[in-house]
């Protein structure tokens, strides 16, 4: 049996999101640690737009979109092909020591990234719960 | 994903800020010290921070994209501030020169205090980052629960 029938694309996608989030976390943590390092260049990982694009291009073979108001279902583009971009985080440099870390921004990103990670984990958990429910409770 | 790398980076930040704090404390303590083993008044010290690459034991394909972009912070050295000493007129002082001036350390309380605040805030930011890392790692374990 194809395991994809049971563990749909959704889980694969969420897995990918967790990967990206944890990489992004590492970059944010690195920026925070180097807050006082002269000439340190802050970096950020951007993947949201590409993920959104991948989801928008969706439209599974089984479910045709016959009206503009229909939402696409399923993910056609291989989510493993999404390549996140590394950007150098701020465009302006305000400090004298050529350090480009904006601590308020980094802390905000830290919290946001943390919350979004938790969201993805929660959804994966619910997904598994749903599968378990279908297996166990079906016979009653 | 290894959260251990993230923890390693944050703890390097903590230790660097702690060393900076030690240096600031030493400066404040010796603000009026006129005798040192090297001779002359105490001279202000400061730290040099340098970003250094983190070597992660778990390198995967995704990792290679952020490779070379993740740095921990190291204290590369402690340097002496070469600005001139403060001169105070105090002819009765045993370390006074022929004109009656005593050379005092080139330390200003305000500067040290501000550096101290900055070090404290940076330390706190790293603690927050460690807590966030811990949160994510624990949350990931919840997938397998229930």
């Amino acid at each position: 049996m194809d395991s994809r029938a049971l563990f749909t694309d959704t889980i694969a996608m969420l897995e990918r999101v967790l990967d990206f989030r944890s990489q992004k976390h590492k970059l944010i943590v690195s920026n925070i640690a180097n807050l006082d390092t002269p000439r340190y260049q802050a970096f950020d990982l951007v993947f949201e737009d590409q993920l959104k694009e991948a989801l928008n291009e969706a439209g599974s073979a089984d479910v045709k979109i016959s009206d503009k108001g229909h939402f696409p279902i399923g993910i056609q583009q291989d989510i493993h092909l999404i390549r996140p971009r590394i950007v150098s985080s701020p465009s302006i440099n305000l400090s004298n020591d050529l350090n480009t870390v904006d601590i308020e921004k980094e802390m905000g990103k830290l919290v946001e990234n943390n919350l979004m990670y938790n969201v993805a984990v929660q959804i994966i958990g619910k997904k598994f719960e749903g599968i378990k429910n279908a297996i166990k409770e079906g016979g009653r | 994903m290894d959260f251990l790398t993230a923890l390693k980076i944050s703890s390097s930040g903590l230790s660097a800020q702690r060393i900076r704090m030690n240096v600031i404390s030493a400066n404040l303590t010796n603000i009026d010290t006129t005798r040192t083993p090297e001779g002359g008044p105490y001279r202000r010290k400061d730290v040099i921070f340098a970003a250094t690459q983190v070597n992660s034991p778990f390198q995967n394909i995704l990792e290679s994209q952020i490779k070379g972009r993740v740095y921990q912070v190291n204290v590369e050295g402690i340097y002496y501030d070469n600005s001139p000493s403060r001169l105070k007129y105090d002819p009765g002082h045993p370390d006074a020169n022929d004109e009656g001036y005593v050379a005092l350390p080139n330390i200003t309380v305000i500067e040290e205090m501000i550096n101290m605040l900055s070090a404290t805030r940076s330390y706190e930011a790293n603690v927050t980052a460690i807590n966030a890392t811990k949160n994510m790692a624990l949350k990931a374990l919840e997938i397998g629960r229930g």
Side-chain angles (χ1 to χ4, degrees):
Chain A
M1 186 184 142
D2 185 7
S3 68
R4 272 176 63 135
L6 192 57
F7 305 112
T8 53
D9 280 343
T10 318
I11 289 176
M13 191 198 72
L14 288 167
E15 262 173 33
R16 204 74 182 128
V17 169
L18 287 184
D19 272 346
F20 293 151
R21 291 275 171 213
S22 52
Q23 296 298 320
K24 193 181 164 108
H25 179 73
K26 237 189 266 181
L27 279 175
I28 298 171
V29 161
S30 164
N31 290 344
I32 293 173
N34 285 288
L35 178 59
D36 295 313
T37 309
R39 285 183 295 280
Y40 177 82
Q41 180 93 43
F43 287 105
D44 192 11
L45 189 79
V46 180
F47 63 91
E48 285 95 338
D49 48 347
Q50 289 189 52
L51 198 67
K52 206 170 167 185
E53 215 169 274
L55 291 172
N56 277 345
E57 275 176 22
S60 105
D62 308 318
V63 186
K64 291 270 186 298
I65 297 173
S66 54
D67 186 275
K68 257 194 241 166
H70 288 172
F71 285 109
I73 307 171
I75 306 148
Q76 212 162 44
Q77 192 189 334
D78 194 357
I79 39 170
H80 291 279
L81 292 178
I82 299 176
R83 288 274 168 263
R85 296 192 313 280
I86 304 243
V87 291
S88 86
S89 177
S91 47
I92 48 164
N93 183 12
L94 293 172
S95 66
N96 273 333
D97 59 357
L98 303 177
N99 183 308
T100 60
V101 180
D102 181 343
I103 185 64
E104 286 83 8
K105 216 164 142 188
E106 296 300 329
M107 294 318 268
K109 264 160 52 187
L110 183 79
V111 173
E112 184 202 326
N113 197 48
N114 200 340
L115 282 175
M116 294 310 284
Y117 185 91
N118 287 357
V119 166
V121 167
Q122 196 117 354
I123 299 172
I124 291 188
K126 287 286 167 201
K127 196 84 190 165
F128 281 127
E129 209 174 283
I131 294 169
K132 201 173 82 181
N133 234 349
I135 296 169
K136 282 175 78 177
E137 310 292 328
R140 295 192 186 176
Chain B
M1 156 63 190
D2 55 323
F3 282 108
L4 297 176
T5 308
L7 284 176
K8 214 200 274 172
I9 295 168
S10 291
S11 24
S12 79
L14 287 180
S15 92
Q17 296 299 339
R18 188 176 40 76
I19 292 170
R20 186 176 171 210
M21 199 60 134
N22 285 348
V23 170
I24 296 168
S25 305
N27 286 344
L28 279 172
T29 313
N30 287 294
I31 193 151
D32 288 318
T33 305
T34 52
R35 287 176 193 180
T36 50
E38 306 93 58
Y42 179 91
R43 268 160 60 219
R44 182 178 171 270
K45 285 182 210 147
D46 208 347
V47 290
I48 305 166
F49 283 168
T52 47
Q53 292 274 359
V54 197
N55 292 318
S56 160
F58 308 100
Q59 299 286 2
N60 55 36
I61 303 159
L62 183 68
E63 193 107 40
S64 65
Q65 292 185 342
I66 65 163
K67 205 176 156 198
R69 299 285 163 76
V70 184
Y71 296 95
Q72 59 182 25
V73 60
N74 267 23
V75 175
E76 209 167 61
I78 294 172
Y79 70 93
Y80 284 104
D81 186 338
N82 277 326
S83 57
S85 307
R86 274 182 297 139
L87 289 176
K88 186 182 158 199
Y89 187 66
D90 187 1
H93 198 285
D95 291 324
N97 62 12
D98 297 341
E99 283 137 22
Y101 284 98
V102 185
L104 290 173
N106 51 351
I107 300 167
T108 46
V109 181
I110 296 166
E111 192 184 351
E112 298 306 319
M113 283 304 190
I114 286 168
N115 279 337
M116 201 165 86
L117 270 180
S118 159
T120 313
R121 294 289 167 260
S122 303
Y123 193 90
E124 279 169 6
N126 279 302
V127 170
T128 310
I130 286 187
N131 279 330
T133 310
K134 213 170 69 188
N135 249 327
M136 286 169 81
L138 285 176
K139 194 78 189 174
L141 289 177
E142 277 178 27
I143 299 176
R145 196 178 291 162

